[in-house]
Amino acid sequence: VERELQDALGSPREQVRAFAPDLVGLVAPDHYNGFFNELMPPFCIGTRTRSVGDYLSPEGELNVDGEAALGLAEHLMDEDFDVAVSRRMQVDHGFAQALQLLWGGLGTPPVLPIFLNAVAQPGIPRMRRCQALGEAIGRFLDAQPRRTLLIGSGGLSHEPPVPTLAHPDAAVRERITRRNEPTPAEREIKTHRVMAAGKALAAGTSSIKPLNPAWDRRWMDALASGGAALDALCALSEDSIEHEAGLSAHESKSWLVARSALPTDRPLTCSLSHYQAIPEYIAGFGVMLLKHPH
């Protein structure tokens, strides 16, 4: 499974490096490592961003273009998007892994980090709002004289053991509410718990919601097609997303934001599309590369 995945990732690495972006717009979720229920914005732009280094992802500062981040925030406010701004944003593998897979670490071109809440209702942004935000980001980037790569990073269908405020244990509810930094031992325990859940799902002995490859492929096809297919995707209800693809499938909205920054009324050139359902990772894993026709 890992060999097939790594083989598939070779092409996007080559294409991204050949494209040689001057700026990377990165839209991604967090999993209660930087954002907590005490204050959970639907969207947040980071002017300075640190990765915590979970699940073998790199720890450290992202190479953030703080001036561009502030410029984007001002632009979005002018377009009636009330986005949050963090001067010290903390994120996890949701952000770091995409950079790690493409550049080998956090030594990347300047990054514009955009957080999307995908874990805490009712503040998870709805589909149409994600599309509209992406379009507004695109208008900002159109005015930037830089070659820009947009990355939407997040799982497709999956429902790993991420707790919610409905959890019966008060200590668990407190852990996802109050901002805190877990100890290395606590992070290790969490990692092994998720690994065990993945092994159980792959073995067919888990009560976790199974992956939904048909839903995942529909999602990827709609992003590539644009037009009516993308409109139909944006009509999905919150309940249908969770019922069909799992509680964490809201992370897929990061793909929608990034895609919507490009023209949405027509297909784009798709130079790569790869999909694997990987129960061991508790995720439908997809990678696709879409290019603006100009």
Side-chain angles (χ1 to χ4, degrees), residues 210-254:
L211 308 181
N212 188 339
W215 191 93
D216 297 340
R217 291 192 176 95
R218 175 191 173 195
W219 188 279
M220 294 175 68
D221 289 345
L223 295 187
S225 299
L230 193 59
D231 288 340
L233 191 72
C234 289
L236 293 177
S237 70
E238 298 296 291
D239 288 344
S240 74
I241 293 172
E242 295 182 3
H243 176 73
E244 295 179 29
L247 290 173
S248 290
H250 294 290
E251 292 183 12
S252 308
K253 294 172 180 177
S254 63

Side-chain angles (χ1 to χ4, degrees), residues 6 40 89 92 103 121 144 174 176 180 198 215 217 224 249 270 278 283:
Q6 291 301 324
M40 181 67 77
M89 191 158 83
D92 61 17
W103 284 282
Q121 291 284 22
Q144 302 293 309
E174 178 68 8
I176 63 174
N180 65 87
W215 191 93
R217 291 192 176 95
C270 184
I278 309 180

